[in-house]
Amino acid sequence: MSEGIRVADVDEIDEGEALTVDAETAGTSDDIAVFHSDNGNFYALNDTCTHEDASLADGWIEGDEVECPIHSARFCLRTGEALCLPALINTKAHRVDVRDGAVWLYPNESPLNA
Amino acid sequence: MVLAAPASIAVVGGGVAGFSAVRELRRRGYAGALTLVDPAGLPYDRPPLSKAFLAGSLDRLRLQLAPEQWYEDNGITVLADTVDKLDAGNGTEAPVLALASGRDLAADVVLLATGARARRLPLPGMDLPGVFTLRSADDALALQGHLASGAHLVILGAGLVGAEVAGTARGLGAGVTLVDPAELPFAQAVGPAMAGYLQSLHAAHGTEYGRGAAAGITSDGNVLRVELADGSRLSGTAVLVAAGSEPETALAEAAGLAVDAGLLVDASGRTSHPRIFAAGDSSRRLGPDGAPGRRFEHWDAARRTGEAAAAGMLGAEPPAGTADWFWSDRYGVHLEVAGSMAVPGQTVLRGEPGSGFMVFRLDLNGALAGAAAVDGGTAVRAARKLIESGRILDPVLLQDPAVDLRRLARAKP
């Protein structure tokens, strides 16, 4: 992929918050949530929880995990691994870069640090 | 005694605790033989039994915690069988499970995740046709046929199961009378302010509420009559006894394990026997001082203790404990509760009874001990974080709906 999608300025997503990039813009089947974790890092996963229809961007973001706002299924922000019930199916992680004060998303590319 | 890598593990019980344990064992890379035994076969989830499954809007297949293929993919043998006896052995040899099918199953380490059963009331008439308890999928299917329009369900007990079934039955058009000995059921668990709001939902949705204790049930053709201790009578076409649960500890007791209103375990789920672990509703954790703590019966506690036991069986440190958390859905309202709402201290209200209403309990030091919310989104998740932090909190901030709890929870102390 080329240079990716410019999601936002770094300071536009507070730590512990997330933005979504809609599927049409990302060219993916699901919206993508771009997370700014309290560890300072940015991550991206498919936005829809694999258990039930909920937006992970609305979830609880801490360290390298996000917890679904509805039933508290946890996913690894680095790899997309479903870490506990009620989710059973892993989700997809996408590559995110921080460059020139902005957050860049590379849909369908594997994260470099996974 | 640390069994760093048992060659085989058998799990008794396919509820959330047993399932979470086998899943976590594989997730941690455990490569040994793994067998799960449950009379019902493949593990399934219980919260929908009083809600979507009871209402018929969720089928049996979707109740499963994982599809059959998942067990194949993860090398987990599921036996639809009953464990009649556990021969724990003296600790040097592998314990043996005697199965009802006649087979003996030996495993280096055994996890007892036997759960709980519905408590039966010592009443005349408990065994009459039309009198139900609700614990299994079969129980829910049996009750389901009695909830159509024109039916009238009498529910004895207004705890989580009783209140949720009341909501489901009303949604299906059945009449409901809910009876509980408490003036304000659930006040201990959620605090009086939230309990009062939840109680008001019953009347708002046409559920009759009566305070009282049942003394007996009689049958009169198609009508069941419930006599209360004060002599008054109720009638209905079916009766649900929702009087809480009792831990399934018979196997463990017969095997000589330490049991005191629950199988006693340490933080890793280890029982008094080095090769036997326990998790979920049947277990009760010993505190650091050696005194038994509360026996939790909630879904999240079952998941966490199942995962902790998986770590324990592999000789690893269990994950850090978190504040107790549970949820309940009735009449379209989503309730979440974290921590304890009953400790000595101060109650702080946020918002008005209804969607977004929240109640906090601060302990005598001013630290958050518990929180309950209606349709609160991640507010209770934030409250869990605040409870775990032990921070002293300003009640003025908590009661202000404009203060974002997520930000408050993330703020560095």
Side-chain angles (χ1 to χ4, degrees):
Chain A
M1 182 117 181
S2 56
E3 63 207 49
I5 298 167
R6 191 182 191 283
V7 176
D9 289 341
V10 166
D11 57 13
E12 282 178 303
I13 314 176
D14 287 344
E15 285 196 2
E17 302 292 335
L19 285 182
T20 54
V21 176
D22 64 54
E24 201 179 330
T25 306
T28 47
S29 54
D30 189 14
D31 295 348
I32 296 178
V34 179
F35 306 89
H36 189 183
S37 182
D38 64 344
N39 61 17
N41 295 332
F42 287 86
Y43 304 93
L45 299 179
N46 281 4
D47 186 46
T48 308
C49 179
T50 60
H51 168 240
E52 266 182 29
D53 197 7
S55 166
L56 292 179
D58 294 333
W60 183 265
I61 303 154
E62 187 170 333
D64 60 2
E65 295 180 9
V66 61
E67 190 176 296
C68 176
I70 299 190
H71 297 109
S72 288
R74 296 196 326 274
F75 294 88
C76 176
L77 288 169
R78 290 179 291 107
T79 63
E81 183 187 3
L83 297 170
C84 74
L85 279 177
L88 195 67
I89 302 162
N90 296 339
T91 191
K92 190 176 171 67
H94 305 268
R95 180 181 150 206
V96 178
D97 274 356
V98 175
R99 194 172 69 239
D100 306 328
V103 183
W104 296 78
L105 171 68
Y106 300 82
N108 295 325
E109 282 191 43
S110 293
L112 301 175
N113 58 347
Chain B
M1 179 171 169
V2 176
L3 294 159
S8 57
I9 295 176
V11 174
V12 183
V16 166
F19 179 84
S20 292
V22 296
R23 178 188 189 180
E24 183 69 4
L25 283 166
R26 287 294 187 237
R27 213 181 70 75
R28 285 175 175 263
Y30 176 65
L34 197 44
T35 306
L36 186 147
V37 188
D38 192 293
L42 295 182
Y44 65 90
D45 208 13
R46 282 186 165 74
L49 298 183
S50 52
K51 302 178 283 274
F53 185 71
L54 184 62
S57 55
L58 182 76
D59 65 31
R60 185 65 180 78
L61 209 57
R62 286 190 56 213
L63 205 55
Q64 288 178 358
L65 290 167
E68 195 162 7
Q69 185 66 39
W70 183 87
Y71 299 90
E72 249 173 70
D73 294 346
N74 287 277
I76 296 160
T77 304
V78 177
L79 300 178
D81 210 332
T82 301
V83 179
D84 283 341
K85 184 168 176 285
L86 162 63
D87 182 354
N90 63 9
T92 54
E93 72 264 29
V96 179
L97 301 169
L99 306 181
S101 61
R103 175 177 166 193
D104 280 347
L105 175 67
D108 277 349
V109 171
V110 169
L111 173 68
L112 295 175
T114 43
R117 59 179 176 270
R119 175 175 287 128
R120 291 167 55 83
L121 294 174
L123 295 178
M126 264 301 289
D127 294 317
L128 286 170
V131 179
F132 300 93
T133 56
L134 178 54
R135 188 74 201 176
S136 67
D138 286 344
D139 292 343
L141 292 173
L143 178 61
Q144 200 173 55
H146 295 260
L147 302 181
S149 178
H152 192 99
L153 180 66
V154 177
I155 303 175
L156 304 177
L160 286 176
V161 169
E164 292 188 347
V165 171
T168 302
R170 289 297 299 138
L172 294 172
V176 178
T177 304
L178 185 58
V179 184
D180 194 282
E183 184 169 1
L184 189 56
F186 231 48
Q188 274 288 110
V190 299
M194 185 60 82
Y197 167 68
L198 296 173
Q199 183 75 350
S200 75
L201 293 174
H202 292 310
H205 290 84
T207 295
E208 298 167 36
Y209 182 80
R211 189 180 174 195
I217 307 168
T218 54
S219 176
D220 179 8
N222 290 328
V223 177
L224 289 162
R225 299 195 196 285
V226 179
E227 182 164 331
L228 302 183
D230 66 2
S232 61
R233 282 185 184 172
L234 303 164
S235 56
T237 50
V239 175
L240 173 68
V241 177
S245 72
E246 292 168 336
E248 286 282 9
T249 54
L251 270 185
E253 281 176 74
L257 304 182
V259 172
D260 175 8
L263 249 157
L264 299 179
V265 296
D266 68 11
S268 297
R270 193 184 303 267
T271 68
S272 56
H273 189 287
R275 288 176 180 266
I276 299 178
F277 289 70
D281 289 9
S282 63
S283 68
R284 193 175 172 202
R285 193 177 283 200
L286 296 165
D289 58 353
R294 228 186 93 191
R295 185 175 69 84
F296 289 103
E297 300 171 83
H298 301 304
W299 191 98
D300 188 58
R303 178 186 65 75
R304 281 191 284 112
T305 54
E307 290 173 359
M313 289 187 282
L314 298 178
E317 280 294 305
T322 59
D324 183 39
W325 169 68
F326 71 91
W327 78 92
S328 174
D329 293 279
R330 73 277 296 265
Y331 307 114
V333 164
H334 180 69
L335 168 77
E336 285 189 38
V337 184
S340 169
M341 299 297 288
V343 299
Q346 178 191 0
T347 291
V348 179
L349 306 182
R350 176 182 170 110
E352 299 293 323
S355 191
F357 182 45
M358 242 184 131
V359 182
F360 301 93
R361 187 73 178 169
L362 294 170
D363 68 17
L364 294 170
N365 296 322
L368 192 62
V374 171
D375 301 332
T378 51
V380 169
R381 183 62 185 83
R384 277 165 67 193
K385 181 83 178 163
L386 288 166
I387 292 167
E388 288 157 16
S389 76
R391 274 166 58 194
I392 308 299
L393 294 170
D394 182 352
V396 174
L397 288 178
L398 290 179
Q399 73 188 21
D400 182 355
V403 172
D404 183 343
L405 285 181
R406 286 158 53 116
R407 284 177 195 278
L408 191 62
R410 285 202 191 91
K412 304 283 182 274

